[in-house]
Amino acid sequence: MKTDAEAQAIMNATASAGGAGARIEIDDIQSGALHPRPAPYVGRFVFLRVDDRHAGRSLLRRLLPAIEGGFSSVDPSRDAWVAVAFTYRGLRALGVPQESLDSFPQPFRQGMAARADLIGDVGESAPANWEPPFGTADVHIALSALSPDEARLDKALERARAACRDTPGVQVIWQQEVRQLPTGRTTFGFRDGISHPNIEGLGLPGSNPREAPLKAGEFILGYPDETGGLPPMPSPDVLGRNGTYIAVRKLHTKVAAWRRFLRANTSSAQEEALLAAKMVGRWPSGAPLTLSPEHDDAALGADPHRNNDFLYRENDDRGFRCPAGAHIRRTNPRDADIIGDARMHRLIRRGTSYGPPLPEGVLEDDGADRGLVGVFIGAHLERQFEFIKAEWINDGNFIGFPGEKDPVAGHHGGTGSITIPEKPIRRRLRNLPSFVVTRGGEYCFLPGLRALRWLSEPED
């Protein structure tokens, strides 16, 4: 069932989409927008401040040879790549004309910090508590590099380092190293990076064989989206086409609090593991509850042909296997009966871990900063990232549980709850603390390669 706004959007979609049937210009799309995350991986995120627009343009000209488009090899998981994106203030610092700046959507122009209340960054996650320079006027350029190993990461970053070093007027103001933990799992102990949408025309299969391909315009500007129309695109065309938006988030994970909550609400290690899986929607191996409801199945979790081969309405309509409020079911309801159309809110999600793991069995916080840097990619900031955060993660109306939030990623503050369907009577856990705290976030625009060249040499 679609909401009124979604139905109206589809009714208003242009009959002739302008780009309908057009070949997707994959080679003009930054590889960082297309590549699945390698496994294992190492990487780095870097924020830059531009103090002089001429220096900023000079930096881009030096960076261009390091930034690839499309897929650079038959096996994209074995590559390393650098991606470059810009905040609204960053585009302004480069001297982009005001007419072009005004053509960007309001969420991007305002920035993530200004929209914190909407997306649930409140309390200890509020921008006032963010790690500098997140949410300030100083973040202009965001660089990211990911690779399967240190050697290829160093090679990918070599030109970027030289460009930054040789460009006075551009300052590195923040860096964060990320890497896959020795366990191959997140700090909470769960396998990650399993799900990827099936995007029409990109030649990159999705992880769920039952998911019909989504229109490329849901993720890349300049092509029809699921409404049948073209997503709003900044002007001029050379700037907007083949670009996309990314929400970058640094998220601290309270692993000790997570473990204590599981321990306090169960009576055995087996019950602990099952409760954790009910909250996440998968077992630690990555095996989905929908296919393996009673116990973990390492072979299933490791099999990319099976670990996403399910639908909720078909396999678990009432949530007795995977609760409707579980993390993975909230963030991607698939075919479940919800208010709204899940296909209108799909994202490309990439999570990368930072910091040391908390040793097994430890129930007290050791003071270390650990968590993930999340990158969320889509052509519509408002109806993709912001909608998911506001409606699916930090509310429960869409699944019939008003006031309930995502048990893992939601903001609870000690007053949260989760409903777990069981027979003969459902179970409701209360007094959930917040397990994930926002340490910072930025909205960025990731341009196509032609747009990067345009940005590197704008008129004064």
Side-chain angles (χ1 to χ4, degrees), residues 143-221:
L143 287 175
S144 66
L146 281 177
S147 171
D149 53 55
E150 292 280 2
R152 274 179 278 193
L153 179 67
D154 286 342
K155 185 176 180 180
L157 282 173
E158 184 177 345
R159 193 183 297 270
R161 288 194 193 101
C164 294
R165 187 171 55 246
D166 298 338
T167 312
V170 177
Q171 302 296 323
V172 174
I173 59 173
W174 179 82
Q175 296 188 63
Q176 180 68 63
E177 292 186 0
V178 294
R179 66 179 60 247
Q180 183 170 292
L181 297 177
T183 60
R185 299 175 179 178
T186 67
T187 54
F188 285 135
F190 287 78
R191 186 164 177 254
D192 195 17
I194 296 174
S195 299
H196 311 283
N198 186 354
I199 305 173
E200 185 176 276
L202 287 188
L204 184 67
S207 54
N208 182 1
R210 303 183 188 218
E211 180 180 59
L214 290 119
K215 295 296 183 183
E218 290 296 309
F219 308 98
I220 305 296
L221 297 175

Side-chain angles (χ1 to χ4, degrees), residues 72-141:
S72 56
S73 79
V74 175
D75 180 8
S77 69
R78 306 315 303 165
D79 294 328
W81 68 90
V82 176
V84 59
F86 307 87
T87 63
Y88 173 78
R89 290 186 176 93
L91 293 173
R92 188 168 60 189
L94 287 174
V96 172
Q98 190 62 46
E99 181 180 0
S100 292
L101 295 174
D102 291 343
S103 68
F104 280 91
Q106 185 179 32
F108 175 71
R109 298 197 312 268
Q110 290 181 331
M112 190 182 293
R115 300 175 73 82
D117 287 347
L118 169 68
I119 62 176
D121 283 339
V122 297
E124 58 185 332
S125 289
N129 300 319
W130 285 3
E131 175 182 318
F134 283 103
T136 72
D138 288 340
V139 182
H140 294 158
I141 299 176

Side-chain angles (χ1 to χ4, degrees), residues 438-460:
T438 306
R439 288 284 168 86
E442 296 289 344
Y443 287 153
C444 298
F445 177 63
L446 189 87
L449 298 189
R450 284 196 298 268
L452 286 176
R453 289 191 286 271
W454 182 84
L455 285 167
S456 72
E457 297 180 347
E459 297 180 2
D460 285 325

Side-chain angles (χ1 to χ4, degrees), residues 213-371:
L214 290 119
K215 295 296 183 183
E218 290 296 309
F219 308 98
I220 305 296
L221 297 175
Y223 306 95
D225 60 20
E226 287 291 303
T227 70
L230 292 172
M233 192 168 73
S235 63
D237 184 80
V238 67
L239 173 61
R241 187 171 181 82
N242 297 319
T244 189
Y245 297 100
I246 61 174
V248 182
R249 309 263 290 167
K250 181 174 180 179
L251 303 169
H252 171 71
T253 51
K254 302 169 77 169
V255 180
W258 166 262
R259 293 177 182 173
R260 289 196 302 271
F261 181 82
L262 297 175
R263 182 71 54 87
N265 287 277
T266 56
S267 57
S268 68
Q270 185 177 1
E271 286 186 6
E272 257 186 68
L274 179 58
L275 176 56
K278 290 286 188 181
M279 293 170 72
V280 173
R282 292 185 185 271
W283 296 94
S285 73
L289 279 174
T290 306
L291 300 181
S292 183
E294 301 297 334
H295 57 81
D296 202 349
D297 183 336
L300 171 60
D303 187 342
H305 300 292
R306 295 193 297 141
N307 61 18
N308 264 300
D309 189 6
F310 65 91
L311 297 171
Y312 291 117
R313 189 183 305 169
E314 177 180 328
N315 300 103
D316 187 25
D317 188 35
R318 298 180 65 186
F320 283 110
R321 296 183 173 201
C322 178
H327 174 66
I328 69 163
R329 191 160 175 166
R330 280 176 171 270
T331 55
N332 180 15
R334 303 189 184 213
D335 67 329
D337 288 318
I338 61 168
I339 298 173
D341 184 346
R343 291 176 63 83
M344 298 281 286
H345 311 292
R346 290 286 270 128
L347 279 171
I348 298 174
R349 295 180 178 84
R350 302 222 181 88
T352 52
S353 295
Y354 74 87
L358 186 67
E360 285 295 325
V362 173
L363 298 179
E364 296 300 326
D365 186 23
D366 61 358
D369 186 17
R370 59 176 56 87

